[in-house]
Amino acid sequence: MKSTFRFATASVLFCAAMALFAPGCGGPSVESLCEQFCACGQECVESSRALCIEGGKEQQERAETAGCADTFDAYLTCLDENFECTGGGPQLPPECESLADEISTCTAEQS
């Protein structure tokens, strides 16, 4: 399941399609992160943006159900604070990989 989460994360980032926090709670939102990814120089049509939001919310729901919502929130904050647009596309910040691993482990235990 770890690789599934990483694949989903990478797919969302690299396809300008990801990531994710309940709106209005003071942290980054799915929509705001998806906007950052889409503004990163890649072609981003409305369907890509919609996939990004949908995928991010699905990941968030899995984390909440598994009891690791705090880790997921920290991951979103990490993405928001460390996001870089290099080489014409969004890049998964290495600083956030350990949080992605924790979420993968947590959600895999619930499967």
Side-chain angles (χ1 to χ4, degrees), residues 61-104:
E61 288 176 24
R62 281 189 217 124
E64 288 174 354
T65 299
C68 46
D70 289 345
T71 304
F72 192 79
D73 294 346
Y75 178 64
L76 296 181
T77 299
C78 184
L79 288 175
D80 187 53
E81 292 174 355
N82 296 290
F83 173 79
E84 289 188 27
C85 183
T86 58
Q91 303 297 313
L92 178 64
E95 301 91 331
C96 305
E97 288 181 13
S98 64
L99 290 167
D101 290 343
E102 286 182 49
I103 295 165
S104 294

